[in-house]
């Protein structure tokens, strides 16, 4: 009797497994048919190279291949048909998308779906009224003199208490080697926690080391970005539905990130927010406190404040290590402005006098923008200024990384790290934002631009005058980890030494 029952149970389980397998197979087959009907495969050389990854034989990064294709294009625009994506490095097209026809090129629901699990309804992932409200709130906060002063004080204090002592200890060590990317990511995380949330990392009561939260953020960024490179979006959507593979890993990473966001919100409520200058407190004091909404704001601030700033600093010192004459010129300017008294953190007023340093930062981000590309979706059929027809419901991407490498924009010396290209009679002179959309442009221009520049400039001036950096294997080609912001694979290990004091007579 028992044996018969066991056989019956096994038979039932076997039938259930067969039915489940058939159902999954049928769904996959149906999805494939739908995909083939909606997006026919293309046999052009660009799409074939994309699908086969044959481009990787010549280029280390997808962004470098795109830059090559865009330089070769007469209009500075290309089509990746299998992605339904038009990619441009033409400043006229960028202006058309971001200003002239702004309403016809929103983020769009398809793009919001790609990043929705990570960014939710945060400012970087919404359109319409939701975007306008968050932008207005952020604008009021970031435009406040009190907030800017508050932020500069935090950055200066973190440099004085943490960054300079850390680099001093590394320089005095035997090998003197440290991963600059790791250093700047930790520094940027600590400063953004204080500026945006009014919290010290040490006050967060977390169930795991901060390194695990950082790893989860990196994983979520990488896997969310991978969705955008898929020729068959239905595949990642199906994997998310079944909770398997990369989508299961993404879900786990976001669950970890949510724990951090929830703790930030909890601590901010515990400490109160009525009289605080941090950005989260200002949102809490102006909207009904809905945890999901606040969570999305926290994640957006972390993405902008940690990843983008750290990326900008990392690539700057990578380039500076290879251009000793730029480092020498910066030290001369710093010594001149500070009158040789550069032992402490330079004041905000003195920072504004350092035009060469400012130019060097802009030049670094021309070659290595923290956000390498940005996509919009076309609502209605349109024609870009270069004559490119864009079909409605397709993606249009402008590519700051490629734009920084266009001879048509920067001339034949585009590959040189040359801060002087930003100076007119020794004064920093910015270019048209649509030619240099590192901070976006038009109605979506980055509200944190000035804050980010002040933070990077303060860090750079404070440590360049005191330390020399020699990146190990600095001559190798930079390889990026796929993600929402530029992260260098393998980090940036560098040898740190104290530099000889340069005091004016």
């Amino acid at each position: 009797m028992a044996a018969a029952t066991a056989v019956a149970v096994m038979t039932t389980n076997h039938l259930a497994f067969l039915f489940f397998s058939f159902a999954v197979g049928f769904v996959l087959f149906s999805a494939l048919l739908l995909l083939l009907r909606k997006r026919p495969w293309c046999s052009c050389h660009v799409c074939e190279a994309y699908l086969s990854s044959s481009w990787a034989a010549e280029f280390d990064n997808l962004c470098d291949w795109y830059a090559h294709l865009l330089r070769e294009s007469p209009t500075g625009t290309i089509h990746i048909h299998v992605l339904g994506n038009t990619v441009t490095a033409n400043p006229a097209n960028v202006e058309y998308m971001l200003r002239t026809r702004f309403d016809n090129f929103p983020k769009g629901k398809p793009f919001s779906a790609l990043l929705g699990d990570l960014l939710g309804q945060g400012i970087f992932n919404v359109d319409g009224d939701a975007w306008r409200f968050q932008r207005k709130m952020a604008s009021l906060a970031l435009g406040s003199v009190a907030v800017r002063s508050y932020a500069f004080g935090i950055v200066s204090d973190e440099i004085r208490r943490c960054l300079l002592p850390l680099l001093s200890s590394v320089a005095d060590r035997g090998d003197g080697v440290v991963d600059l990317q790791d250093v700047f990511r930790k520094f940027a995380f600590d400063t953004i926690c204080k500026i945006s949330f009014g919290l010290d990392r040490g006050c967060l009561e977390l169930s795991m080391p901060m390194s695990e939260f950082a790893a989860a953020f990196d994983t979520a960024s990488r896997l969310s970005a991978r969705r955008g490179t898929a020729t068959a979006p239905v595949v990642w959507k199906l994997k998310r539905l079944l909770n398997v593979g990369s989508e299961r890993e993404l879900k786990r990473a976001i669950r970890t990130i949510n724990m951090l966001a929830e703790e930030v919100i909890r601590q901010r409520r515990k400490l109160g927010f009525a009289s605080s200058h941090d950005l989260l407190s200002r949102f809490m004091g102006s909207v009904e406190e809905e945890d999901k909404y606040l969570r999305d704001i926290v994640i957006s601030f972390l993405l902008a404040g940690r990843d983008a700033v750290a990326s900008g600093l990392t690539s700057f010192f990578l380039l500076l290590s290879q251009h000793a004459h730029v480092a020498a010129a910066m030290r001369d300017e710093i010594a001149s402005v500070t009158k040789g008294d550069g032992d402490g953190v330079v004041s905000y007023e003195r920072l504004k006098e350092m035009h060469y340093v400012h130019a060097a930062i802009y030049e670094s981000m021309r070659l290595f923008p923290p956000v390498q590309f940005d996509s919009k979706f076309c609502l209605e059929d349109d024609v870009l200024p270069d004559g490119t027809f864009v079909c409605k419901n397709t993606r249009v991407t402008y590519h700051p990384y490629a734009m920084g490498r266009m001879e048509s924009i920067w001339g034949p010396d585009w590959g040189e790290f040359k801060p002087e290209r930003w100076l007119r009679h020794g004064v920093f002179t910015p270019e048209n934002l649509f030619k240099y959309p590192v901070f976006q442009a038009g109605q979506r221009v980055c509200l944190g631009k000035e804050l980010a520049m002040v933070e990077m400039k303060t860090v750079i001036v404070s440590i360049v005058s005191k330390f020399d950096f020699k990146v190990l294997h600095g001559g190798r080609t930079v390889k990026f980890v796929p993600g929402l912001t530029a992260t260098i694979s393998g980090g940036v290990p560098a040898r740190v030494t104290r530099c000889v004091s340069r005091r004016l007579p």
Side-chain angles (χ1 to χ4, degrees), residues 224-400:
S224 295
R226 185 189 294 179
R227 288 176 171 179
T229 64
T231 56
V234 69
V235 174
W236 71 256
K237 292 180 180 180
L238 186 60
K239 287 166 68 176
R240 181 176 62 175
L241 179 65
L242 299 175
N243 193 31
V244 297
S246 59
E247 287 299 313
R248 183 177 184 179
E249 185 181 2
L250 175 60
K251 186 176 182 180
R252 186 163 52 241
I254 291 175
R255 190 182 302 122
T256 301
I257 293 170
N258 288 344
M259 290 170 56
L260 173 62
E262 288 163 5
E263 174 60 12
V264 166
I265 295 167
R266 190 184 74 82
Q267 286 292 343
R268 188 64 267 164
R269 282 202 181 110
K270 180 180 176 182
L271 295 173
F273 52 83
S275 59
S276 298
H277 289 297
D278 64 275
L279 303 180
L280 181 59
S281 292
R282 287 174 175 256
F283 271 93
M284 284 181 154
S286 303
V287 299
E288 293 184 9
E289 292 184 46
E290 181 182 328
D291 281 7
K292 176 64 174 65
Y293 181 71
L294 295 176
R295 174 264 180 209
D296 296 343
I297 290 172
V298 168
I299 300 304
S300 296
F301 285 158
L302 283 174
L303 180 67
R306 187 198 78 142
D307 291 23
V309 168
S311 177
L313 286 170
T314 300
S315 57
F316 180 88
F317 281 95
L318 174 65
L319 285 168
L320 196 68
S321 172
Q322 301 165 2
H323 297 84
H325 68 286
V326 174
M330 288 175 60
R331 291 187 180 114
D332 286 341
E333 181 179 65
I334 292 168
S336 175
V337 171
T338 62
K339 310 304 180 187
D341 183 21
D343 293 334
V345 176
V346 178
S347 71
Y348 180 70
E349 292 304 317
R350 282 183 168 178
L351 278 180
K352 291 192 290 186
E353 298 177 43
M354 299 181 186
H355 294 273
Y356 188 86
V357 174
H358 206 91
I361 297 172
Y362 261 64
E363 179 70 349
S364 171
M365 289 193 293
R366 176 182 71 83
L367 292 169
F368 294 108
V371 179
Q372 296 179 341
F373 63 90
D374 187 35
S375 293
K376 311 295 182 186
F377 269 83
C378 185
L379 289 182
E380 299 294 338
D381 290 352
D382 212 330
V383 178
L384 301 179
D386 66 359
T388 300
F389 174 77
V390 182
C391 184
K392 70 176 182 180
N393 298 324
T394 58
R395 195 189 328 178
V396 188
T397 298
Y398 68 93
H399 211 290

Side-chain angles (χ1 to χ4, degrees), residues 442-476:
Q443 294 188 45
R444 277 191 180 263
V445 67
C446 177
L447 292 172
K449 170 186 173 182
E450 184 174 342
L451 187 62
M453 281 298 299
V454 168
E455 181 173 353
M456 287 192 290
K457 198 171 181 179
T458 308
V459 169
I460 289 166
V461 168
S462 298
I463 64 182
V464 162
S465 59
K466 299 173 179 62
F467 302 99
D468 271 315
F469 300 87
K470 183 63 178 177
V471 173
L472 306 185
H473 316 297
R476 71 180 182 183

Side-chain angles (χ1 to χ4, degrees), residues 85 97-98 101-116 119-128 130-131 135 300 303 371 373-379 393-398 440-441 443-445 484:
N85 192 10
M97 292 165 55
L98 300 185
R101 290 277 284 157
F102 175 79
D103 291 336
N104 198 42
F105 294 94
K107 283 288 183 182
K109 291 182 179 179
F111 184 84
S112 296
L114 293 174
L115 304 182
L119 298 181
Q121 295 296 303
I123 190 171
F124 302 125
N125 205 42
V126 291
D127 293 305
W131 167 73
R135 186 172 176 84
S300 296
L303 180 67
V371 179
F373 63 90
D374 187 35
S375 293
K376 311 295 182 186
F377 269 83
C378 185
L379 289 182
N393 298 324
T394 58
R395 195 189 328 178
V396 188
T397 298
Y398 68 93
Q440 294 208 41
Q443 294 188 45
R444 277 191 180 263
V445 67
L484 302 179

